[in-house]
Amino acid sequence: MKFSIIVPIYNVGSYLKECLESLINQTYKNFEVITVIDKCDDGSEKIADKYIKKYGWVKIYEEHTGLAKARNIGIQKATGDYIVLLDSDDYLENDFLETINKALNDKPDILRFQVRDIINDQKIDHNEIGFDSTNGTEAFNKIIRYHYIENAWAYVYKRDYFIKNKFKYMENCIAEDYGLTPLVIVKAKTVKSISYIGYNYVQRNNSLMNNTDYTKKIKKMDDMLKQSDYEKEQIKNIDNIEPILRFLDNSLIYYSTTLKYRDYKKYNKILKKKNCYKHPIENGLKSKVRSLIIKTNSYLFYNYLVR
């Protein structure tokens, strides 16, 4: 089996059919589908069952999994050479696997492809420039310029590499991609990127990333702090980690400015205590001035100066 496609499913009834249809329409057929289904109350499981039965896909049912745990379960069940993570409200282009398979000719640990946003039926392409196979830290320094960086579904992973390093998404966390994807990239021996746009990211109003529940915003901030600490501990013996440190710290700083001001002040003290404002500064006068303003008052910078 060349590819294992892992699809966590939870209350995505309005989007699921398009997701699953994009799998059966693949022009390349050497793949397995592993569905990990949480308890649904919108008919998602019934929709999935029709495809599972017809095409012999793997079905794992487990309540209260969450996205991170569902991915971990699916990866452990996978048998393919490479792992594809597909969120069940998104969908692939029909030639996705065929194009990816050709690009894997030099067998990199990770292959990066590009993403199309689907917002209110409007398609927005992100035309990123690919690069040849290189080591993980050099690759991250290039990927950090992309529109999407830490999103787990923007990459194809060699299964042996993933399992050997015992990578796992931190369970019961929001934004678990942030807590693992950068680490997976920088530890890789070979990472390759192609300019092909094959993943359609459907942004729905009630998704985890677009949820307006403020308590979840606070939880996400706490989870990001925990995950950042974990990643920094894991990469401390890797050379040339400045780009990932800059990314982790800047992500924390930026997200803190999206909170209510009283909470921003609380977390700003934590970030200063953790030396997040001492991340390496990029070269160039503009970047240095930007970093100085952020260090002085990040809330002012992100909420007023860059609007």
Side-chain angles (χ1 to χ4, degrees):
M1 193 68 65
K2 188 62 178 283
F3 296 104
S4 294
I5 305 176
I6 297 161
V7 188
I9 297 174
Y10 175 69
N11 285 353
V12 285
S14 299
Y15 305 87
L16 185 56
K17 184 176 180 180
E18 186 167 30
C19 172
L20 301 182
E21 285 287 329
S22 77
L23 298 182
I24 65 174
N25 289 330
Q26 288 299 305
T27 55
Y28 181 89
K29 301 298 184 181
N30 187 15
F31 67 92
E32 64 177 355
V33 176
I34 300 171
T35 62
V36 185
I37 304 178
D38 202 340
K39 184 178 181 179
C40 301
D41 56 19
D42 71 339
S44 293
E45 185 177 359
K46 289 183 179 179
I47 295 172
D49 281 343
K50 293 179 182 178
Y51 290 87
I52 292 166
K53 183 177 180 180
K54 183 174 181 179
Y55 297 102
W57 295 346
V58 176
K59 176 181 178 179
I60 301 170
Y61 180 85
E62 185 165 336
E63 295 185 15
H64 311 299
T65 55
L67 182 57
K69 186 176 181 180
R71 285 174 175 168
N72 291 336
I73 291 171
I75 290 168
Q76 289 299 315
K77 186 72 174 179
T79 64
D81 295 334
Y82 283 88
I83 294 167
V84 177
L85 301 176
L86 174 60
D87 283 0
S88 51
D89 47 359
D90 301 333
Y91 61 96
L92 305 175
E93 291 296 302
N94 291 347
D95 64 345
F96 176 83
L97 291 181
E98 182 178 357
T99 304
I100 295 301
N101 185 54
K102 291 177 181 177
L104 292 172
N105 59 316
D106 53 346
K107 301 180 180 179
D109 291 331
I110 301 172
L111 177 70
R112 167 64 190 245
F113 48 85
Q114 309 310 330
V115 180
R116 174 181 297 109
D117 285 333
I118 309 293
I119 305 175
N120 297 325
D121 295 325
Q122 181 182 1
K123 296 182 178 181
I124 303 171
D125 289 353
H126 298 291
N127 298 298
E128 317 284 9
I129 299 174
F131 54 83
D132 294 331
S133 290
T134 186
N135 64 70
T137 52
E138 288 295 325
F140 193 84
N141 205 19
K142 298 175 185 292
I143 291 170
I144 203 170
R145 310 292 179 183
Y146 287 178
H147 186 81
Y148 290 111
I149 301 168
E150 76 272 27
N151 305 77
W153 36 251
Y155 305 86
V156 174
Y157 311 89
K158 185 183 287 184
R159 183 173 64 88
D160 287 348
Y161 164 67
F162 210 96
I163 298 299
K164 181 181 178 181
N165 284 276
K166 299 179 180 179
F167 292 131
K168 282 193 173 183
Y169 293 97
M170 194 175 291
E171 297 178 10
N172 301 313
C173 281
I174 297 176
E176 72 288 332
D177 305 25
Y178 166 81
L180 185 62
T181 303
L183 175 63
V184 175
I185 294 171
V186 299
K187 290 195 73 172
K189 290 183 179 179
T190 52
V191 180
K192 181 179 181 180
S193 177
I194 57 176
S195 58
Y196 167 72
I197 301 174
Y199 192 98
N200 295 284
Y201 174 33
V202 181
Q203 301 188 39
R204 54 191 176 97
N205 292 331
N206 62 338
S207 69
L208 276 176
M209 293 301 100
N210 294 315
N211 197 291
T212 57
D213 184 344
Y214 189 71
T215 60
K216 289 188 177 181
K217 291 195 71 172
I218 294 295
K219 176 171 170 48
K220 180 178 177 179
M221 185 73 216
D222 290 332
D223 288 347
M224 288 178 69
L225 284 167
K226 179 167 59 175
Q227 293 175 90
S228 177
D229 288 344
Y230 170 77
E231 286 191 273
K232 288 179 180 179
E233 179 65 25
Q234 295 296 311
I235 66 172
K236 64 183 181 181
N237 294 322
I238 298 177
D239 294 332
N240 303 317
I241 60 171
E242 288 82 5
I244 187 173
L245 289 175
R246 187 183 304 124
F247 169 76
L248 293 172
D249 288 341
N250 282 341
S251 297
L252 288 169
I253 292 167
Y254 169 74
Y255 191 74
S256 72
T257 67
T258 69
L259 305 176
K260 295 176 181 178
Y261 188 68
R262 67 173 185 271
D263 294 316
Y264 159 76
K265 290 194 294 182
K266 168 189 168 183
Y267 285 104
N268 193 44
K269 290 180 181 179
I270 296 173
L271 296 180
K272 287 183 176 179
K273 188 175 180 180
K274 290 179 175 291
N275 293 321
C276 291
Y277 285 94
K278 292 186 178 180
H279 56 80
I281 298 174
E282 295 183 79
N283 294 327
L285 179 60
K286 185 177 180 180
S287 294
K288 290 181 178 179
V289 171
R290 179 178 181 273
S291 296
L292 179 61
I293 297 173
I294 291 173
K295 186 175 181 180
T296 303
N297 193 324
S298 56
Y299 192 88
L300 173 67
F301 179 82
Y302 283 114
N303 284 284
Y304 298 99
L305 297 184
V306 297
R307 280 188 172 182

